[in-house]
Amino acid sequence: MSISPRKNTHQVLVGKVKVGGHAPIVVQSMTNTDTADITATVKQVMELANAGSELVRITVNNEAAAEAVPKIRAQLDANGFSVPLVGDFHFNGHKLLEKYPECAQALGKFRINPGNVGKGAKKDTQFQQMIECAVKYDKPVRIGVNGGSLDQSVLTRLLDENRAKAEPEELAAITREAIIVSALESAAAAESYGLPKDHIILSCKISNVQELISIYQELARRCDYALHLGLTEAGIGSKGIVASSAALSVLMQQGIGDTIRISLTPEPGAARTKEVIVGQEILQTMGFRSFTPMVIACPGCGRTTSDYFQKLAMDIQSYLREQMPIWRDQYKGVEEMEVAVMGCVVNGPGESKNANIGISLPGTGETPVAPVYEDGEKTVTLKGEHIAEEFQAIVENYIRRTYSA
C-alpha cells in the first residue's frame, strides 16, 4: 500500500527545525516540570532532546515562568542543546508576552488556544496582541484548538445556524465543524494581523480516535497550513500508545500531518521520554523516518521456554537507544540498521539472515550454540556463558566497519 503525498505546501521554520512543506515529520514533546524551576526544566528538556524530541513545549503560565524562559534557553545553549522551545500560553499570554519580551525572543514558537484567549471583544484584542508579538519577533504560531477548551462563541453560533436548518445535523457533527472553523477563522485573523502563512501551524486535538481522524481529514481538505497531529489526553500505558498509533497512522498514511506529539500520561516516577520513543517508533515502523536501529525479536513459544533471548533483545534494544545521541553524529545511516534476536531454529536463521546483523539463540532441546549472521552470511557461532557480551561486541564492531563517520 502506497503512502499519500503530504497535503500542505507551506514550510514553517521553528528555530532551525523545518515543519511542513514536505520536510520530514517532526517529533515534539512537552515538559511537566514547573517552568519556574529552571534546573528541573533544563534537565527534562535535555532528557527529551537526547531521546530525540526535535521541539519541546514548555508551560508559560505566570510571570515566574515567563521570567525563567530566557534563562532556560541560555542554559540549554551553554550545554550544547539547540532544541527549539515552544511556549504554551493560556488565558494570560498577551500580558506575559508584553511584559517579558525576553521570553518572546527566547521561544522558537508560540502555542495559542483560541478558546483560552478571552471572551467577547477581549478575545479579539488579546489574540491580536499575541499575534502582533509573534510578527514583531518573527516567531511562528501554532493555533491549537482542543475539544475540551473549544471557543464556545463559535460553537454557539454554529448551533444557532444548525437549528434554523430544515434538517439539522447531530451535535457531534456540529462540534467537529466548530473545532475546524475555530482553527481556520483564527488562522485567517492571524494573517490579517500580519502573520505570514508560513508562520502558522494548526492543530485540532480531541481524545476520540474516529472523531480526530474525521476532523483532520476535513481540515486538510479545507486548508494547506502545516498541521500538528496529536490525540489529546491519550491516556496511560498501552491504551494511550494504541489509541495514538491508530489515529496518527491513519492520518499520516493519507499524507496528513507535519509534526506529532504522543500525549501519554506517564506512570508515577516514569521518564517523560516515553512519549518521544513512541512517536519515533510510529514513524519508523511506518517507514516515514529512521531514528534508531530496530530490533526484531520473536514473541516466544513452547520451543523457547528459556527467557534468555527476551533479556538479550531488551538489553540490545536499550543499548542501541542509549548510544544514539553519540552515534547520530559519528555513524551516518546507523539509525536504519536492523538487528534480529531470535529464540529458536524455526525462524531464527531466516530472520537473522534478513537483518543487517542477527543472532539465532538455541530453543528448548536444541544444540546450545548461537550462530551470528552479518549481511546474510554466518560469521561466527557463539556458545558458553558470555553470548550476550560477545554479541554486543560484534554489533559494535559491525557498526564501526559499516557506517561512515
Side-chain angles (χ1 to χ4, degrees):
M1 184 176 179
S2 62
I3 297 171
S4 299
R6 300 272 284 287
K7 303 292 186 185
N8 79 77
T9 58
H10 296 279
Q11 188 172 92
V12 181
L13 196 62
V14 184
K16 294 182 179 180
V17 177
K18 297 175 181 177
V19 176
H22 311 297
I25 298 171
V26 171
V27 176
Q28 180 171 319
S29 61
M30 185 174 185
T31 60
N32 61 356
T33 58
D34 179 355
T35 305
D37 186 339
I38 296 170
T39 300
T41 303
V42 168
K43 179 175 181 290
Q44 191 171 78
V45 171
M46 291 193 298
E47 289 171 352
L48 292 166
N50 271 332
S53 184
E54 294 157 300
L55 300 174
V56 178
R57 186 153 54 114
I58 59 176
T59 298
V60 187
N61 58 331
N62 54 39
E63 292 194 10
E67 197 170 8
V69 169
K71 299 172 184 176
I72 292 167
R73 178 74 271 164
Q75 288 196 22
L76 289 170
D77 291 341
N79 282 283
F81 287 82
S82 60
V83 59
L85 299 176
V86 180
D88 191 48
F89 294 99
H90 294 274
F91 310 112
N92 59 352
H94 59 293
K95 294 180 179 179
L96 296 176
L97 287 169
E98 181 180 17
K99 186 171 182 179
Y100 296 96
E102 296 86 357
C103 170
Q105 290 174 310
L107 293 170
K109 182 176 71 173
F110 304 163
R111 192 272 190 177
I112 304 172
N113 184 330
N116 290 339
V117 174
K119 294 182 179 180
K122 285 186 176 180
K123 180 188 75 173
D124 295 336
T125 302
Q126 291 168 186
F127 180 78
Q128 180 176 353
Q129 190 175 337
M130 296 182 75
I131 295 299
E132 287 176 345
C133 181
V135 172
K136 179 179 179 180
Y137 296 109
D138 193 28
K139 302 295 181 180
V141 174
R142 172 157 74 95
I143 296 172
V145 180
N146 277 45
S149 51
L150 174 61
D151 187 337
Q152 293 302 301
S153 65
V154 175
L155 180 60
T156 299
R157 187 181 85 220
L158 295 185
L159 286 171
D160 289 342
E161 293 173 1
N162 187 56
R163 279 191 288 269
K165 292 179 179 179
E167 296 183 7
E169 297 181 66
E170 295 182 353
L171 176 60
I174 301 304
T175 303
R176 289 196 300 271
E177 178 67 7
I179 290 171
I180 295 167
V181 167
S182 178
L184 294 177
E185 289 185 349
S186 296
E191 286 194 66
S192 74
Y193 300 143
L195 191 67
K197 201 163 191 174
D198 63 2
H199 279 51
I200 297 174
I201 299 173
L202 297 186
S203 69
C204 292
K205 297 167 72 173
I206 58 173
S207 56
N208 180 284
V209 170
Q210 293 292 354
E211 294 283 288
L212 186 86
I213 292 171
S214 296
I215 286 170
Y216 271 100
Q217 287 172 334
E218 182 63 14
L219 181 65
R221 188 185 70 80
R222 287 157 66 172
C223 76
D224 59 356
Y225 294 108
L227 300 180
H228 169 75
L229 301 186
L231 185 80
T232 192
E233 291 95 36
I236 301 172
S238 60
K239 184 269 178 185
I241 294 171
V242 171
S244 295
S245 301
L248 273 57
S249 297
V250 169
L251 292 167
M252 291 189 294
Q253 187 74 19
Q254 296 174 4
I256 299 169
D258 303 287
T259 171
I260 65 170
R261 184 198 170 196
I262 311 302
S263 299
L264 296 180
T265 303
E267 297 176 10
R272 189 72 168 177
T273 53
K274 182 74 172 179
E275 66 177 57
V276 179
I277 294 169
V278 172
Q280 289 181 331
E281 289 179 346
I282 292 172
L283 292 175
Q284 187 153 351
T285 54
M286 290 194 68
F288 290 108
R289 294 185 65 183
S290 295
F291 296 94
T292 190
M294 294 289 283
V295 175
I296 300 164
C298 65
C301 65
R303 293 184 178 89
T304 57
T305 52
S306 168
D307 63 359
Y308 189 85
F309 84 94
Q310 298 164 334
K311 292 177 180 176
L312 178 58
M314 289 183 64
D315 289 346
I316 288 294
Q317 182 166 284
S318 297
Y319 170 73
L320 295 173
R321 185 165 287 281
E322 287 167 2
Q323 294 302 307
M324 274 311 294
I326 302 169
W327 289 349
R328 197 174 289 125
D329 296 325
Q330 287 187 348
Y331 302 112
K332 185 179 179 181
V334 67
E335 66 277 3
E336 298 176 1
M337 184 175 74
E338 289 187 351
V339 180
V341 180
M342 304 300 292
C344 79
V345 74
V346 174
N347 291 322
E351 290 286 359
S352 296
K353 289 177 183 177
N354 289 333
N356 296 100
I357 184 168
I359 185 170
S360 180
L361 294 162
T364 305
E366 295 177 17
T367 304
V369 295
V372 175
Y373 298 82
E374 299 180 38
D375 296 324
E377 301 294 330
K378 186 168 79 170
T379 56
V380 68
T381 299
L382 304 180
K383 53 187 175 181
E385 298 180 357
H386 301 288
I387 288 176
E389 294 88 343
E390 292 173 8
F391 181 63
Q392 180 171 308
I394 291 170
V395 171
E396 291 172 350
N397 289 330
Y398 179 88
I399 290 170
R400 280 195 291 267
R401 292 196 319 269
T402 307
Y403 299 98
S404 60

